[in-house]
Amino acid sequence: MPHVNLYHHDETPSPLKLVWKSFRSRFLSMAALYVLLAMILVVLLSPLLTPFNTSTQFSDAIALPPSWVESGNMNYLFGTDDLGRDMLSRLLIGGLYSLGLPILMVAVSSIIGMSIGALAGIDRTIKYQSLSRLFDTLLSIPSFLMALIIIAILGTGFNNVAFAITLSLIPQFIFVTRNAVHEEWHKDYVTASRLNGCSKAYLLYRVILPNVTPTLVMQLTVSLSVAIMDIAALSFLGLGIQAPTPEWGSMLARSLDEVYLSPWSMVLPGITLFITIMSINIVGDSLRRALKERVNS
């Protein structure tokens, strides 16, 4: 009988699997991830899920409490505001401006900021150093104040708010990326790769980038939270997205005068904002830890 060699070897898990294994080991991380993914999915499907038009006013259902209250109505699950507009519909569509728009703004600002920051981190020429010093100066101005200045110049409105917040986030990405790349550039493993004749592009994308990913991921999540808060704050002050467009910050501002008569009109958008920002921060911090453990292993 011929000898059969049953050779078994374990496949080395990929870096992505190692990161996912570390991430899912924490219950709070997975709970926050599920909440965040559910919110993003609901925002994407919000035009299909809204039971009513956000501007439709129901004269027979003004300041109606949520359906779980005894005097509520099942036709309006989250109740109505002081003008008789459905709160659920306004919260869902408001997510497009309060969550969907910040994701787009952070994506644009991160691509621009990380590209400039990475080049400034490895290229010590006067051109990139002068540019990075300019953005360092802008970084001394808080992002919200910078957005206020831009809006004061350009005026209020959807496009101007999006442009102002996107521009105000770019210096943060430049600063964080430049410092992270510059710090790695002088380490021994990068020096060894340089002596082996590796190009700057190879060093940046294949050698340095995997080791600065935790820092960049943390900056992405922080910037997303900042963008959400800035949009809500600007709208709360009447300088952001204008009525009657539903936005969680503007909904909070409008409910101030009616808080004693219809507290749900303030509580619901406030809780939605809190849960959104909290879940983003937890996911970002957990992902940063998982990436850092993978890099150090």
Side-chain angles (χ1 to χ4, degrees):
M1 181 177 179
H3 175 71
V4 179
N5 183 18
L6 298 177
Y7 178 73
H8 175 74
H9 63 89
D10 295 327
E11 294 184 359
T12 303
S14 64
L16 185 61
K17 289 183 178 179
L18 292 174
V19 171
W20 173 245
K21 182 179 180 180
S22 176
F23 182 89
R24 70 179 183 181
S25 63
R26 301 178 179 89
F27 170 79
L28 188 60
S29 303
M30 294 302 298
L33 178 63
Y34 288 140
V35 169
L36 183 58
L37 291 177
M39 296 191 73
I40 293 175
L41 180 61
V42 168
V43 166
L44 292 174
L45 299 177
S46 58
L48 303 176
L49 297 176
T50 50
F52 305 102
N53 188 288
T54 57
S55 300
T56 302
Q57 301 178 15
F58 299 95
S59 57
D60 58 339
I62 295 177
L64 195 68
S67 58
W68 55 84
V69 179
E70 184 177 354
S71 57
N73 189 323
M74 286 300 297
N75 292 328
Y76 312 100
L77 293 178
F78 283 7
T80 60
D81 61 9
D82 59 311
L83 296 179
R85 296 174 297 189
D86 182 57
M87 286 292 297
L88 176 59
S89 301
R90 293 181 64 78
L91 284 172
L92 290 174
I93 297 299
L96 291 173
Y97 303 98
S98 298
L99 179 58
L101 182 59
I103 291 175
L104 180 60
M105 292 188 300
V106 169
V108 173
S109 60
S110 64
I111 292 173
I112 298 173
M114 288 181 183
S115 300
I116 297 174
L119 292 175
I122 64 175
D123 195 329
R124 311 307 294 175
T125 59
I126 296 178
K127 177 178 64 175
Y128 285 108
Q129 290 309 302
S130 301
L131 186 62
S132 62
R133 291 296 176 266
L134 171 63
F135 281 102
D136 283 349
T137 304
L138 295 176
L139 188 62
S140 63
I141 306 174
S143 62
F144 182 70
L145 179 58
M146 186 184 297
L148 277 176
I149 294 172
I150 297 173
I151 290 174
I153 297 172
L154 300 179
T156 59
F158 176 84
N159 293 331
N160 291 341
V161 170
F163 175 76
I165 296 179
T166 301
L167 193 61
S168 67
L169 293 175
I170 291 176
Q172 300 178 18
F173 283 106
I174 293 177
F175 178 80
V176 170
T177 307
R178 185 198 66 194
N179 289 351
V181 170
H182 181 66
E183 182 180 350
E184 295 295 321
W185 183 258
H186 295 285
K187 290 186 176 179
D188 293 340
Y189 75 94
V190 177
T191 302
S193 300
R194 290 167 59 189
L195 294 175
N196 286 333
C198 297
S199 64
K200 286 186 176 180
Y202 180 87
L203 288 172
L204 180 61
Y205 293 106
R206 301 298 300 273
V207 180
I208 297 177
L209 187 60
N211 291 297
V212 301
T213 299
T215 302
L216 301 183
V217 167
M218 193 61 188
Q219 183 58 39
L220 281 168
T221 55
V222 169
S223 297
L224 182 55
S225 298
V226 168
I228 293 173
M229 288 299 296
D230 284 354
I231 287 182
L234 288 170
S235 299
F236 185 85
L237 295 174
L239 301 174
I241 299 173
Q242 300 297 302
T245 303
E247 194 278 330
W248 296 341
S250 62
M251 292 172 68
L252 280 171
R254 181 171 182 82
S255 63
L256 283 177
D257 296 333
E258 306 293 332
V259 64
Y260 294 107
L261 298 176
S262 53
W264 58 88
S265 61
M266 174 178 281
V267 171
L268 291 175
I271 289 178
T272 306
L273 265 174
F274 174 79
I275 292 176
T276 302
I277 294 174
M278 183 64 68
S279 60
I280 290 172
N281 289 338
I282 292 174
V283 169
D285 186 63
S286 301
L287 187 57
R288 180 188 59 82
R289 289 183 182 181
L291 287 167
K292 193 171 183 179
E293 289 176 3
R294 197 268 300 174
V295 171
N296 295 334
S297 61

